[in-house]
């Protein structure tokens, strides 16, 4: 089954404690992206990757890092989480970038930073 | 910066009626416009994509229009059903192969 998986699905942590949210896709997609979703603000892009070792900032990259060492994986790293990073996070992938028929989203990771 | 507005945060309609959702944007028109459905606690699911040179696109009970003069896209669900209840997101795609810009969504409730 074609899918994007994220782990963990739920995470409660404390300010300053480094964490990683994993994202993996099994569709051999070149393009992957991370979004955060906050009430009233919609989905905002954090980082994206056009292919292995190629990453770039989205609209809200501050406080986040990513890496793309393998095509299937695109982890999101919060080196020193703060309460304003409490949000619902989604990973997405697509075959050729955004102008394609389908962008697949993962199930989401709900992060709470105390 | 680009601003996207989707009509009213919530829309309630009666089963069997046509639901019409609006997506308005400012500034320059995107190369593509996409619509997604999102259920509570789930990731968005792609529904339809329309290109700037297309006026209308259909898929089963769904229809999307794109008017670059009005800077507006309309999303229609005909013969709506309670199972259509969800949040619908529009997303602007400028064809840069970089990112989508999403609206905040419209929560549709179809009443039985």
């Amino acid at each position: 089954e074609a899918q994007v998986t994220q782990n963990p699905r739920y995470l409660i942590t404390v300010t300053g404690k480094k964490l990683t949210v994993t994202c993996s896709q099994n569709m051999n997609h070149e393009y992957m992206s991370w979004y955060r979703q906050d009430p009233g603000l919609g989905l905002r892009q954090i980082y994206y990757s056009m292919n292995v070792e190629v990453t770039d900032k989205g609209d809200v990259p501050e406080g986040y890092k990513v890496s793309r060492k393998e095509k299937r994986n695109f982890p999101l790293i919060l080196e020193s989480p703060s309460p304003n990073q409490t949000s619902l996070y989604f990973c997405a992938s697509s075959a050729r970038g955004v102008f394609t028929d389908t962008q697949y989203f993962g199930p989401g990771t709900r992060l709470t930073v105390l | 910066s680009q601003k996207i507005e989707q009509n009213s945060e919530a829309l309630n309609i009666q089963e069997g009626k046509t639901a019409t959702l609006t997506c308005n944007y400012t500034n320059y028109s995107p190369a593509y416009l996409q619509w997604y459905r999102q259920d509570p606690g789930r990731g968005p699911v792609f529904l339809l994509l329309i290109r700037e040179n297309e006026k209308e696109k259909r898929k089963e009970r769904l229809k999307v229009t794109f008017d670059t003069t009005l800077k507006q896209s309309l999303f229609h669900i005909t013969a709506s059903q309670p199972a259509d209840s969800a949040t619908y997101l529009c997303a602007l795609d400028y064809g840069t192969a970089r990112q989508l810009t999403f609206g905040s969504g419209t929560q549709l409730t179809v009443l039985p």
Side-chain angles (χ1 to χ4, degrees):
Chain A
E1 179 190 354
Q3 61 180 352
V4 178
T5 57
Q6 295 178 227
N7 282 294
R9 294 290 314 280
Y10 302 91
L11 179 60
I12 300 174
T13 190
V14 295
T15 298
K17 186 176 182 182
K18 180 179 178 180
L19 65 92
T20 299
V21 183
T22 64
C23 172
S24 183
Q25 49 93 4
N26 63 0
M27 296 164 280
N28 201 36
H29 285 167
E30 292 90 1
Y31 181 93
M32 297 186 74
S33 182
W34 275 103
Y35 295 87
R36 61 177 288 174
Q37 187 173 38
D38 302 288
L41 295 177
L43 281 160
R44 293 179 293 168
Q45 191 180 52
I46 303 170
Y47 269 94
Y48 64 93
S49 170
M50 298 296 290
N51 215 322
V52 175
E53 301 292 358
V54 180
T55 63
D56 208 347
K57 297 177 181 178
D59 293 322
V60 288
E62 294 77 22
Y64 305 94
K65 286 175 59 178
V66 293
S67 69
R68 188 90 182 274
K69 292 183 169 55
E70 307 165 279
K71 200 171 190 178
R72 63 181 294 127
N73 296 323
F74 190 44
L76 179 69
I77 303 156
L78 285 71
E79 295 269 2
S80 183
S82 62
N84 65 11
Q85 292 179 297
T86 293
S87 187
L88 179 58
Y89 291 86
F90 290 101
C91 180
S93 74
S94 64
R96 295 192 309 277
V98 296
F99 44 89
T100 183
D101 286 352
T102 302
Q103 183 153 172
Y104 293 85
F105 281 80
T109 294
R110 187 167 292 281
L111 172 66
T112 301
V113 183
L114 302 174
Chain B
S1 63
Q2 183 66 273
K3 187 177 177 183
I4 305 169
E5 287 185 354
Q6 293 192 241
N7 65 318
S8 66
E9 287 189 8
L11 179 65
N12 296 335
I13 64 165
Q14 210 64 39
E15 182 176 6
K17 301 291 187 183
T18 296
T20 298
L21 283 63
T22 304
C23 177
N24 294 300
Y25 58 91
T26 59
N27 302 336
Y28 42 96
S29 290
Y32 311 84
L33 198 146
Q34 301 187 23
W35 283 88
Y36 288 78
R37 168 183 173 141
Q38 186 175 22
D39 292 288
R42 313 280 296 264
V45 175
F46 172 83
L47 295 175
L48 280 169
L49 175 150
I50 187 166
R51 293 170 172 75
E52 62 178 332
N53 60 353
E54 296 177 319
K55 295 288 187 197
E56 182 179 297
K57 199 86 168 274
R58 291 176 185 261
K59 179 182 177 182
E60 298 173 352
R61 294 185 296 111
L62 309 180
K63 184 177 85 171
V64 173
T65 63
F66 191 7
D67 188 326
T68 56
T69 301
L70 293 177
K71 297 187 177 180
Q72 181 181 80
S73 175
L74 298 178
F75 178 80
H76 306 272
I77 305 175
T78 58
S80 58
Q81 306 164 0
D84 295 325
S85 299
T87 295
Y88 292 86
L89 307 170
C90 72
L92 274 52
D93 172 4
Y94 289 89
T96 62
R98 293 205 175 133
Q99 63 184 96
L100 293 175
T101 302
F102 282 87
S104 55
T106 297
Q107 184 176 345
L108 174 68
T109 301
V110 181
L111 304 168

